[in-house]
Amino acid sequence: MKTDFLIIGSGAAGLNFALHAAKYGQVLLITKKKLKDSASWHAQGGIAAVLDPKDSLQNHINDTLKAGHYKNKKSAVEKLIKGAPKAIAHLESLGVKFDTTPRKEGCHSHRRIRSVADHTGKTVIQALIKAASKEPNIKILENTRALKLLKSKGKIIGITTTGEQKIYAKAVILATGGIGQKFPKTTNPKTSTGDGIDLAQEAGAKLMDMDCVQFHPTVLSSPDKPPFMISESLRGEGAKIVDENGKRFINELEPRDIICEAMNKKIAQGHSIYLDITHKNPDWIRKQFPYIEKTLKKHGFDLTTNRIPIAPAAHYLCGGIATDLSGRTSLPGLYAYGEVARTGAHGHNRLASNSLLECLVFTMDVPKELQ
Ligand SMILES: Cc1cc2nc3c(=O)[nH]c(=O)nc-3n(C[C@H](O)[C@H](O)[C@H](O)COP(=O)(O)OP(=O)(O)OC[C@H]3O[C@@H](n4cnc5c(N)ncnc54)[C@H](O)[C@@H]3O)c2cc1C
């Protein structure tokens, strides 16, 4: 098989790049399970974007740098934040209807998280899939896994897939997501096995900041229950993190790494940790967080009346395949977008709701040499 753009992965990064690349040539998008199987589908909280005149792009930039411990690449942060309003407008043009009141999350100095209740990722992916399926230049292959990158004279020219099939392309795009499944406890779905990192490393591409793995603090922790993530937007709306005596020990709106550190200290001392939003009106909770409320109920916990046992779990790879601001890796012919890429935007600790944003903003402009 031959194509112009070979995209590996059907999360927000892969699908959005496909839509933009289709203007310039034939696109083949492969994905190892079904189209909807991705971390993007599971994103709850939302997408950070400055749309309120009382907020400013500079505030969002400052918050991103603060969360990242000032280890971010400034040009990548600027691209990310300045591209946010356009990314939201793009999704709206595809039919996504965001809630009218933006949410607040940890380390954000303003309410600027655009959400669709607590199932933002699902709504965004459904809209991207619908748009991609209407585009005649995009062909999709499900249940097809990339196994190896093909290289000739130092350039990536294609891949081999399951079934020993070879696919050649002018550009190979890795949009394979994160590495959560390499850890014993993770918020990530089964597809997040770090394939893109393995493929790139084997081919000799440069990786960066691979030690910068973000743990999410509010993940269900109970024997025989899955590590179900409970969105940071609950804390933005007043949920407290408490010990078994109901005592708070950390400001819940600190960046994630700071909260995890405080929780780990407590756990090491033998304490149990809980997330508690029971002071809020039950109807309000059910309306704001319908998916989380229903899922917890399925696991035997009532969010409206119970405090929920939680512990940190592996969540997000801030490092990855080193790219420039256009997604070029260190190997000609190979590009990377989304969580698998290390653009430098997140520094050593990603700001909440900046990840879907990165998937969307960095895939909006197809690199010049591919246009
Ligand atoms: C539970 C949860 C909640 C989250 N909430 C938010 C949020 O509210 N806001 C936010 O900004 N971020 C959130 N995140 C993080 C964000 O969802 C991810 O970082 C982002 O969706 C990654 O998108 P992606 O396109 O890079 O990868 P993914 O969405 O993971 O897509 C990767 C794709 O690649 C495919 N793939 C992998 N390997 C191969 C292979 N070898 N061959 C073929 N296909 C392959 C996978 O099947 C999948 O389709 C959340 C993450 C989780 C897990």
Side-chain angles (χ1 to χ4, degrees), residues 4-9 13-14 17 21 169-176 333-337 363 370:
D4 295 318
F5 300 93
L6 171 59
I7 301 174
I8 306 165
F17 188 82
K170 283 187 197 153
V172 174
I173 289 95
L174 291 172
T176 48
L334 184 68
Y335 298 78
Y337 299 98
T363 51
L370 302 177

Side-chain angles (χ1 to χ4, degrees), residues 9-10 12-13 31-32 37-40 43 45-46 146 177 191 195 316 339 355-356:
S10 59
T31 191
K32 64 181 171 182
D37 291 322
S38 64
S40 301
T191 46
D195 294 14
Y316 183 83
E339 190 169 340
S355 169
L356 283 177

Side-chain angles (χ1 to χ4, degrees), residues 3 61 78 124 142 237 247 346 348:
T3 186
I61 290 173
E78 282 179 9
V124 166
E142 294 183 310
E237 301 300 332
K247 207 172 138 198
H346 307 304
H348 285 189

Side-chain angles (χ1 to χ4, degrees), residues 8-14 30-33 37-40 42-46 144-146 175-178 187-189 191-192 195 229 315-316 337-340 350 353-357 359:
I8 306 165
S10 59
I30 67 162
T31 191
K32 64 181 171 182
K33 299 273 181 196
D37 291 322
S38 64
S40 301
H42 295 273
Q44 298 172 352
T144 306
R145 184 173 190 167
T176 48
T187 62
N188 291 189
T191 46
S192 304
D195 294 14
M229 197 201 88
H315 182 59
Y316 183 83
Y337 299 98
E339 190 169 340
V340 74
R350 171 173 70 82
S353 287
N354 267 359
S355 169
L356 283 177
L357 182 61
C359 293

Side-chain angles (χ1 to χ4, degrees), residues 94-357:
L94 299 182
V96 176
K97 289 189 175 56
F98 290 100
D99 299 338
T100 42
T101 312
R103 288 218 165 110
K104 183 156 168 49
E105 289 186 337
C107 201
H108 281 278
S109 54
H110 285 75
R111 281 189 172 265
R112 63 168 78 100
I113 317 301
R114 317 305 304 190
S115 58
V116 183
D118 57 355
H119 46 77
T120 312
K122 180 177 166 184
T123 309
V124 166
I125 291 299
Q126 282 172 332
L128 292 174
I129 289 177
K130 196 170 161 198
S133 62
K134 281 190 203 149
E135 177 50 66
N137 266 359
I138 300 178
K139 191 176 166 206
I140 290 167
L141 283 181
E142 294 183 310
N143 300 310
T144 306
R145 184 173 190 167
L147 296 178
K148 195 174 165 58
L149 295 172
L150 298 170
K151 205 171 168 185
S152 170
K153 297 177 190 151
K155 184 176 186 288
I156 298 302
I157 55 163
I159 61 165
T160 54
T161 71
T162 29
E164 289 304 308
Q165 181 175 218
K166 285 193 168 84
I167 307 175
Y168 296 95
K170 283 187 197 153
V172 174
I173 289 95
L174 291 172
T176 48
I179 63 167
Q181 289 294 334
K182 293 197 189 279
F183 292 80
K185 282 211 171 156
T186 180
T187 62
N188 291 189
K190 290 207 161 59
T191 46
S192 304
T193 47
D195 294 14
I197 300 287
D198 295 341
L199 292 170
Q201 189 174 33
E202 195 190 30
K206 185 177 170 193
L207 307 182
M208 276 179 87
D209 293 340
M210 286 302 292
D211 54 332
C212 297
V213 175
Q214 180 174 77
F215 282 64
H216 197 289
T218 54
V219 181
L220 178 66
S221 173
S222 181
D224 307 325
K225 305 291 180 201
F228 173 66
M229 197 201 88
I230 305 165
S231 171
E232 186 147 350
S233 10
L234 271 81
R235 278 177 280 136
E237 301 300 332
K240 298 180 187 98
I241 295 179
V242 296
D243 65 15
E244 66 280 11
N245 302 312
K247 207 172 138 198
R248 288 178 65 212
F249 54 91
I250 181 78
N251 170 0
E252 290 81 359
L253 293 179
E254 288 284 356
R256 290 175 180 168
D257 56 340
I258 309 268
I259 298 185
C260 286
E261 202 180 323
M263 287 172 68
N264 284 338
K265 232 183 233 171
K266 277 272 182 190
I267 291 166
Q269 290 163 1
H271 292 281
S272 303
I273 317 286
Y274 300 86
L275 186 71
D276 190 348
I277 196 168
T278 55
H279 59 286
K280 288 277 192 181
N281 179 297
D283 289 337
W284 179 89
I285 296 175
R286 282 187 208 105
K287 184 155 179 256
Q288 294 290 321
F289 305 109
Y291 168 68
I292 295 172
E293 196 267 335
K294 275 194 201 111
T295 308
L296 286 172
K297 197 161 252 172
K298 211 173 71 190
H299 296 310
F301 298 95
D302 185 344
L303 185 64
T304 65
T305 54
N306 293 159
R307 47 190 199 186
I308 310 297
I310 52 166
H315 182 59
Y316 183 83
L317 177 62
C318 300
I321 305 166
T323 70
D324 69 6
L325 297 187
S326 299
R328 298 180 191 97
T329 70
S330 61
L331 295 178
L334 184 68
Y335 298 78
Y337 299 98
E339 190 169 340
V340 74
R342 185 274 184 198
T343 62
H346 307 304
H348 285 189
N349 177 59
R350 171 173 70 82
L351 182 68
S353 287
N354 267 359
S355 169
L356 283 177
L357 182 61

